[in-house]
Amino acid sequence: MAQVLSLHVFFSAEIHKVGPSKPLKRIHKPKTSLSTRRKATQSPQSPLRKTQKLNLQVSPHRAVSAVRLMRIEMGGAFADLLNDKGKGSGDNEMGYVERTLGFRTKDLDDRDLRLVTDIVGGTIRWRRYLDYLIGSLCHDEKAFRSMEPLLLQILRIGFYEIVKLDMPSYAVVDENVRLAKVSLRPGAGNMVNGILRKLVLLKESNSLPLPKLEGDDRAQARALATLYSHPVWMVRRWTKLLGQEKAIKLMMWNNDNPSFSLRANSGKGVTRADLVMQFNMLKVPHELSLHLDHFVRVKTGLQIVIQAGLLKQGLCAVQDESAGLIVSVVNPQPGDSIIDCCAAPGGKTLYMASQMHGQGIFKPRKVVYASSKSYCFLFWCFLAFIMPFQHHIFLAPAHCLKQLPHLISMHFYSLLLHYKPIAVGF
């Protein structure tokens, strides 16, 4: 008992040596809920999440092509606008891919972008024919009609690559099967594998299923519409007006891959011969325009021309021959006064200005309108503005001619009616 008392006295003495004890302050830590902690670990900015979403095994141009075809068919998007936005907007493009397929691929390079443009445009042009082949190789029509949209787009891409692009069949089958398995499920990949392999065997034996050209005019028009992927009404109209042989040639031309036209900048003293010499040095295949002296046609190799800096140096410009034909009809001469009421983006304007050699008056205008009536009203305003001129060329949209039949021969040296063509895929 005495030992216990001595120990108590010893510890109490040691405490008094240290001094009076201070009250302990309670440290309040901010409370974080379980959901907040989960969000912090799985935030979109987390590099771990990005790594998990990135899929390097799937072909990037096929994934982007499938998503673009989905946006065109399901969302009403325009293929040419998607092409314009594709360059320089990789994050936006991959955002659509991630939301549609559930993962991202590596960013597209220039070669991938060209492949995407080719595959998307070609699949749209040949959609009727491709769907006929897919439906013929499915075990029944109901399976084709009830096929989910993404699976159908993957099959269309594979069929187009094998039938129209002549890509190596083993690569096409392998890549599209992988895309279907990752973006949908393993069963979808097995279905793509079976159908594409059947297509490869039929193509190698030259026995692809084709509609028979027989029966009355309507039946033959439907068969031709499937073979050349055009609307039936258009095939019937062209056959009636041109005959079947010329209608077929027109449809074949309409489905051909487009070529690019480059115009030599005569304003800088560049001739077509100078441009051809540059193309020969760059080994770019080309052919001369049959209708215009300043134009050269290029089907492949435009990226080489761009990277060589010919456009940046102003030696040439990309311009369609249809626009150049308008300038050749106008035939602007030095000293003319020209007012263009449909000058956007300005390709014909620059071409006409180069033909005037710095002499004359040129007034380009872009008219923005909400309806044909307001457009014609602005058109009348332009007429009132240019009435003092006695010798000039006036360019106007074609549909305004209906409002001005009595003014064609009043004060104009030349009235040229033109419009912008559009491309439609069936």
Side-chain angles (χ1 to χ4, degrees), residues 52 104 141 221 325 352 368 390 396 404:
Q52 290 174 345
R104 285 174 171 255
E141 187 177 353
L325 286 171
M352 285 187 285
V368 180
Q390 297 296 322
L404 306 167

Side-chain angles (χ1 to χ4, degrees), residues 255-313:
N255 279 331
D256 194 14
N257 291 328
S259 61
F260 301 95
S261 298
L262 294 169
R263 172 179 57 84
N265 190 358
S266 57
K268 281 194 170 184
V270 181
T271 64
R272 184 165 69 174
D274 298 332
L275 200 57
V276 168
M277 185 176 65
Q278 293 284 343
F279 290 166
N280 290 332
M281 291 173 59
L282 295 172
K283 297 182 180 179
V284 174
H286 60 275
E287 60 181 12
L288 302 180
S289 170
L290 301 176
H291 311 289
L292 298 167
D293 295 335
H294 298 96
F295 283 73
V296 181
R297 297 175 184 174
V298 174
K299 276 204 169 185
T300 58
L302 184 61
Q303 291 296 324
I304 299 175
V305 175
I306 295 173
Q307 292 170 6
L310 300 186
L311 299 178
K312 201 170 185 179
Q313 298 170 22

Side-chain angles (χ1 to χ4, degrees), residues 137-414:
L137 298 187
C138 287
H139 59 276
D140 59 359
E141 187 177 353
K142 186 179 179 182
F144 170 70
R145 296 299 176 190
S146 61
M147 192 176 293
E148 50 195 312
L150 180 56
L151 179 58
L152 180 58
Q153 303 303 340
I154 295 173
L155 283 173
R156 284 172 176 168
I157 291 172
F159 272 60
Y160 177 72
E161 290 176 331
I162 292 173
V163 176
K164 294 299 179 181
L165 294 184
D166 290 324
M167 287 187 175
S169 57
Y170 63 89
V172 174
V173 173
D174 182 64
E175 293 290 344
N176 284 286
V177 167
R178 185 180 293 115
L179 177 59
K181 284 184 176 181
V182 175
S183 60
L184 291 170
R185 58 195 174 278
N190 296 334
M191 183 178 181
V192 171
N193 182 52
I195 294 177
L196 289 183
R197 287 185 181 277
K198 191 185 297 185
L199 174 70
V200 171
L201 292 175
L202 291 174
K203 188 190 176 188
E204 290 176 351
S205 61
N206 199 21
S207 56
L208 289 174
L210 299 175
K212 295 180 179 180
L213 194 61
E214 59 186 13
D216 57 4
D217 293 342
R218 289 177 179 271
Q220 291 188 21
R222 285 194 294 270
L224 289 173
T226 300
L227 282 171
Y228 299 101
S229 194
H230 276 66
V232 178
W233 66 266
M234 187 177 290
V235 175
R236 294 188 63 192
R237 177 176 294 181
W238 287 355
T239 305
K240 184 178 179 180
L241 294 175
L242 305 173
Q244 191 175 100
E245 185 179 351
K246 289 186 178 180
I248 291 175
K249 288 182 179 180
L250 182 56
M251 287 187 286
M252 291 174 63
W253 174 85
N254 207 25
N255 279 331
D256 194 14
N257 291 328
S259 61
F260 301 95
S261 298
L262 294 169
R263 172 179 57 84
N265 190 358
S266 57
K268 281 194 170 184
V270 181
T271 64
R272 184 165 69 174
D274 298 332
L275 200 57
V276 168
M277 185 176 65
Q278 293 284 343
F279 290 166
N280 290 332
M281 291 173 59
L282 295 172
K283 297 182 180 179
V284 174
H286 60 275
E287 60 181 12
L288 302 180
S289 170
L290 301 176
H291 311 289
L292 298 167
D293 295 335
H294 298 96
F295 283 73
V296 181
R297 297 175 184 174
V298 174
K299 276 204 169 185
T300 58
L302 184 61
Q303 291 296 324
I304 299 175
V305 175
I306 295 173
Q307 292 170 6
L310 300 186
L311 299 178
K312 201 170 185 179
Q313 298 170 22
L315 302 180
C316 61
V318 179
Q319 187 170 24
D320 195 77
E321 289 184 61
S322 60
L325 286 171
I326 293 173
V327 179
S328 67
V329 173
V330 175
N331 191 23
Q333 300 296 323
D336 283 343
S337 299
I338 301 177
I339 294 183
D340 189 350
C341 283
C342 197
K348 293 186 291 293
T349 299
L350 293 175
Y351 188 19
M352 285 187 285
S354 67
Q355 300 297 301
M356 296 168 67
H357 304 293
Q359 301 177 22
I361 301 174
F362 199 102
K363 293 189 177 182
R365 296 286 186 270
K366 178 184 178 182
V367 181
V368 180
Y369 61 98
S371 65
S372 59
K373 289 184 179 179
S374 60
Y375 195 105
C376 292
F377 172 76
L378 292 172
F379 186 66
W380 278 92
C381 293
F382 275 109
L383 283 178
F385 172 74
I386 65 169
M387 280 299 178
F389 291 98
Q390 297 296 322
H391 182 75
H392 62 266
I393 301 172
F394 191 85
L395 289 89
H399 64 270
C400 291
L401 175 61
K402 296 179 181 179
Q403 305 291 331
L404 306 167
H406 58 287
L407 291 175
I408 294 178
S409 59
M410 286 179 59
H411 297 280
F412 299 105
Y413 169 74
S414 171

